[in-house]
Amino acid sequence: MTDVEAALKEHFSAPNGQLTPEILGEMQSIMRLHSIDPQELMYKWESYSMKMGAETTQLELKTIRDFKKDLQDILERESRGKSHAAHTTKRTGATPRAAMGSGDVFGMLDGLVPNTPRAGAVNGTATKRKSNFETPAVKSSKQHANSSPSDSKLHYTNAGVATPVTTAIAGNSAGQIQETVNAHLDAPEEAPPSFSESRIKIKSNTEMQKFAYKSMAMKLSDASQTLDDRIDEFLELLQSTSSFQDASFGNPAAPSTSEIIAVGRIASDSAEGKLNMASLVLETSRRVGAGRRVPLQIDGLPSYDFFPGQIVALRGMNASGDAFRVSEIISFPDLPEAATQPAENEAINARLASSIIAEDEDESSYQPMHPTTILVAAGPYTPCPNLNFTALTALLTRTATLRADALILLGPFLPLSHPAVRSGDFDLPPSSTSPDHATLSDLFRHHIAQPLNALVQSHPHISIILVPSVDDALAPAVAWPQDRFPRRALGLPRQAACVTNPATLTLNDVALGLSTQDVLAELRARDCVGGKAKMERDVLGRLAGLVVQQRHFFPVFPPGKRQALPKEEGEMDVEDEEEDRLGTGPGLDVGYLKLGEFVGVKPDVLVLPSMLNPFAKVWSYS
């Protein structure tokens, strides 16, 4: 018995009674969520008992859960009240005035007219607030807001988390092989010859026209129906592929003394905190359980691995009507492997063999078939704080040297989380466009499209694929699933194919799944794992396996909260900043989440960029 359990029993146990493990677990969950000790928890319980009626309020599992929900409601009300009060306070106060003698009413000319003295430098001692009318600029020095950016070694992901920059240009591991899969296969020793045509045939397995939906027009009924249909689809899948009788399936929220199989969505009974054993609930569909949620008791399972939004099939019993005790986790069948018809394989081999030509164009000098080379890279392609795109330049140089057959580039290309992009403080590319009419599209054409056009000129038979990101500044909306880039408007070459996010493609005979959504980091931060699964060393492989098992590129729901972007040096002194600037986050459009499902088959290769350590693993040999 731990000290916490002993203290809880001392404060709450009746003279002739004992606290059950379930009640102890709920109490410890409340203490963790609210950061309180057992004595303060007792004070809150006594206050709750007086409010509800001390004679009728008994220390039972249902009552303690009602008590937990009441505390959460009080905390949310207080948080909303503080936020409103802080917002009101920051908007009140005297109207700002310029420093005496500056001749600049409200500081409107501060930094705009060369001869206008900067506020605070008129007499050497006067200071003033930063004006809202000033052109935004990156603050990188506390001594002067307009000084040059400091050499900040930060890389901002779409989740808004700052990590050290590890680009192929700046890092010491540039050009080194970090991990190899199928090392028993020999790599080609010589550079490939010239080709007469493209050796890669790209086929889309995704209905990309459906991604051109109108974002921010989601109805609550559509979102609810989408989430509900996903539970029913997994239920029908299990019924059609297993030997279980229809009578074996039931409603886990209904009291029953017989074991049933329940299919539902994993959720948490608390909006705050990490998913844990005490907060696990199973959400049912409207057809089976009227959408009710029932607490789960999983202490008897030898191994489990849950996360919010996961669709599961559980065998168990709800004898008391208060909780569903799980005795077994039933696995769903895997998607079938991608397959190619023999005739298609023969056509692919014939195209690979006939595409090789000698320099003298003599058919008799055709060389043996060379293996295909496909390069995959994920953004951002420029380190902070500058927009120099040195990493992209090095990548394209390497691509031309290898004469790669295909180059797959995943966003973000112009990340919103980049300090130069979000502040607008960057140099415009040299072009005929007037600076007053320049847009981010011009920046993309200069830094991304022009190098890709140069690559195509030197290697005309390469196939290029671009996948957008919700963190891209050129994205029409911060919404996932996400429509493709407009190829012609951005000046991309004819060999470049813009696809959706996510996308399932077939390159010759290889099924490829692509998504720029950081699902691995979400799973790592939100999962509830125990037993044998917790002892597994291959954590990243386990997380990727969850994605494949759920048949979805982003099965987490609800996603984690958006994180505040790190402030640049000097920004802490700005008084007009009312709230932290947040990262884009996942940006789910719930009504269209079905577009994020795997299409028909299990991908041969699944590409999931993440802020976690990079890895390449074989998840299944089946």
Side-chain angles (χ1 to χ4, degrees):
M1 182 184 300
T2 63
D3 296 339
V4 175
E5 292 180 353
L8 288 174
K9 291 186 176 181
E10 179 182 354
H11 288 294
F12 287 92
S13 292
N16 298 323
Q18 293 291 332
L19 293 179
T20 64
E22 292 80 4
I23 294 179
L24 282 174
E26 291 291 345
M27 289 182 172
Q28 293 178 19
S29 175
I30 296 173
M31 292 168 58
R32 287 192 300 268
L33 289 174
H34 299 275
S35 300
I36 58 178
D37 55 19
Q39 186 174 5
E40 187 174 354
L41 178 65
M42 183 191 67
Y43 294 152
K44 291 182 178 296
W45 168 256
E46 291 178 350
S47 176
Y48 176 76
S49 300
M50 295 177 63
K51 181 175 68 174
M52 303 302 295
E55 297 181 356
T56 59
T57 305
Q58 303 296 327
L59 189 57
E60 300 173 346
L61 183 59
K62 182 180 184 304
T63 311
I64 201 70
R65 284 175 174 161
D66 293 339
F67 170 55
K68 180 179 181 181
K69 185 178 183 303
D70 182 76
L71 289 178
Q72 187 64 34
D73 293 340
I74 294 175
L75 181 63
E76 291 178 358
R77 287 195 298 269
E78 292 178 351
S79 178
R80 287 193 297 266
K82 291 179 181 179
S83 176
H84 178 73
H87 183 75
T88 305
T89 302
K90 289 182 179 180
R91 286 187 175 272
T92 58
T95 303
R97 300 291 179 184
M100 294 299 296
S102 65
D104 181 7
V105 181
F106 301 120
M108 295 178 64
L109 301 180
D110 185 16
L112 298 179
V113 181
N115 295 329
T116 302
R118 187 178 70 253
V122 179
N123 300 321
T125 57
T127 59
K128 68 178 288 292
R129 286 172 45 179
K130 180 182 178 303
S131 173
N132 280 334
F133 300 100
E134 187 181 42
T135 301
V138 175
K139 314 298 188 303
S140 53
S141 175
K142 291 185 177 180
Q143 286 76 15
H144 195 306
N146 296 323
S147 62
S148 301
S150 62
D151 189 16
S152 176
K153 300 290 186 179
L154 292 179
H155 163 66
Y156 299 91
T157 67
N158 67 338
V161 181
T163 57
V165 174
T166 56
T167 64
I169 307 304
N172 297 326
S173 60
Q176 297 181 4
I177 298 176
Q178 301 292 334
E179 193 165 355
T180 303
V181 179
N182 295 330
H184 60 284
L185 299 177
D186 296 331
E189 298 179 357
E190 300 179 357
S194 301
F195 304 125
S196 61
E197 61 180 2
S198 176
R199 305 174 69 211
I200 296 291
K201 182 179 180 181
I202 302 175
K203 178 183 177 182
S204 174
N205 301 331
T206 302
E207 297 181 80
M208 297 190 182
Q209 65 275 10
K210 292 185 177 181
F211 286 73
Y213 61 87
K214 186 178 180 180
S215 61
M216 299 184 69
M218 180 180 60
K219 296 181 180 178
L220 185 60
S221 57
D222 295 340
S224 175
Q225 188 64 43
T226 300
L227 297 173
D228 202 61
D229 289 345
R230 181 164 168 81
I231 300 177
D232 290 336
E233 288 171 1
F234 272 84
L235 174 60
E236 294 171 0
L237 171 68
L238 192 60
Q239 288 176 332
S240 60
T241 58
S242 65
S243 58
F244 301 123
Q245 300 294 327
D246 291 345
S248 301
F249 298 88
N251 178 12
S256 175
T257 57
S258 302
E259 275 198 338
I260 62 169
I261 298 175
V263 178
R265 177 182 291 104
I266 292 295
S268 175
D269 66 350
S270 175
E272 302 292 337
K274 192 175 184 297
L275 189 68
N276 54 66
M277 288 182 60
S279 63
L280 271 176
V281 295
L282 184 69
E283 180 182 323
T284 61
S285 67
R286 286 178 288 186
R287 181 166 65 91
V288 175
R292 292 182 59 190
R293 290 184 173 187
V294 57
L296 294 178
Q297 296 179 355
I298 58 173
D299 49 319
L301 293 177
S303 177
Y304 57 89
D305 191 358
F306 297 129
F307 63 87
Q310 181 182 13
I311 307 299
V312 294
L314 307 174
R315 187 196 297 273
M317 180 191 308
N318 187 356
S320 62
D322 295 329
F324 186 76
R325 178 171 290 276
V326 182
S327 59
E328 181 186 0
I329 301 176
I330 300 175
S331 301
F332 293 105
D334 288 338
L335 280 168
E337 303 284 347
T340 306
Q341 296 291 339
E344 295 181 9
N345 274 330
E346 293 176 1
I348 292 171
N349 293 332
R351 182 171 62 254
L352 293 177
S354 62
S355 62
I356 304 178
I357 60 174
E359 294 181 357
D360 56 1
E361 302 286 345
D362 185 4
E363 294 184 1
S364 62
S365 61
Y366 278 177
Q367 302 179 14
M369 185 169 57
H370 195 277
T372 56
T373 302
I374 301 175
L375 300 183
V376 182
Y381 299 93
T382 177
C384 292
N386 302 317
L387 290 173
N388 50 25
F389 289 90
T390 52
L392 180 64
T393 303
L395 173 65
L396 299 184
T397 302
R398 180 64 174 168
T399 304
T401 303
L402 294 176
R403 295 181 184 175
D405 297 291
L407 173 64
I408 302 174
L409 300 176
L410 297 97
F413 297 93
L414 295 177
L416 287 168
S417 54
H418 195 287
V421 174
R422 73 172 186 254
S423 66
D425 185 21
F426 51 81
D427 296 330
L428 293 174
S431 64
S432 58
T433 304
S434 170
D436 295 335
H437 299 87
T439 64
L440 287 173
S441 297
D442 298 322
L443 195 67
F444 183 94
R445 280 190 285 266
H446 176 74
H447 287 295
I448 308 294
Q450 286 187 12
L452 291 179
N453 280 285
L455 172 65
V456 167
Q457 290 179 1
S458 63
H459 187 17
H461 301 300
I462 188 175
S463 299
I464 303 174
I465 299 173
L466 284 82
V467 185
S469 167
V470 294
D471 194 35
D472 269 306
L474 289 177
V478 183
W480 190 93
Q482 186 178 12
D483 199 7
R484 49 197 162 178
F485 284 139
R487 181 178 64 84
R488 293 184 180 179
L490 296 178
L492 293 168
R494 177 178 53 84
Q495 292 84 343
C498 297
V499 300
T500 56
N501 173 30
T504 303
L505 309 175
T506 300
L507 277 62
N508 287 347
D509 59 344
V510 178
L512 195 66
L514 305 169
S515 175
T516 56
Q517 197 79 301
D518 194 353
V519 62
L520 298 179
E522 285 279 348
L523 290 172
R524 188 71 181 93
R526 309 287 302 283
D527 66 342
C528 174
V529 59
K532 295 180 180 179
K534 193 172 185 178
M535 304 301 294
E536 187 177 348
R537 293 186 176 182
D538 186 10
V539 177
L540 298 177
R542 174 177 60 82
L543 298 177
L546 291 174
V547 178
V548 177
Q549 291 172 358
Q550 291 292 296
R551 307 181 174 202
H552 202 283
F553 285 98
F554 197 86
V556 183
F557 184 83
K561 292 185 177 180
R562 297 165 57 195
Q563 301 296 322
L565 292 173
K567 290 182 178 292
E568 293 294 298
E569 293 184 11
E571 287 186 338
M572 299 299 295
D573 298 332
V574 179
E575 298 179 8
D576 293 340
E577 193 73 25
E578 293 188 358
E579 58 183 11
D580 292 332
R581 288 174 292 187
L582 303 178
T584 54
L588 300 185
D589 201 317
V590 183
Y592 294 90
L593 283 183
K594 190 171 180 61
L595 297 176
E597 295 180 351
F598 290 174
V599 182
V601 297
K602 184 192 308 180
D604 295 320
V605 180
L606 187 60
V607 181
L608 300 173
S610 176
M611 60 180 291
L612 302 180
N613 292 331
F615 69 97
K617 296 182 183 295
V618 178
W619 180 76
S620 174
Y621 289 96
S622 59

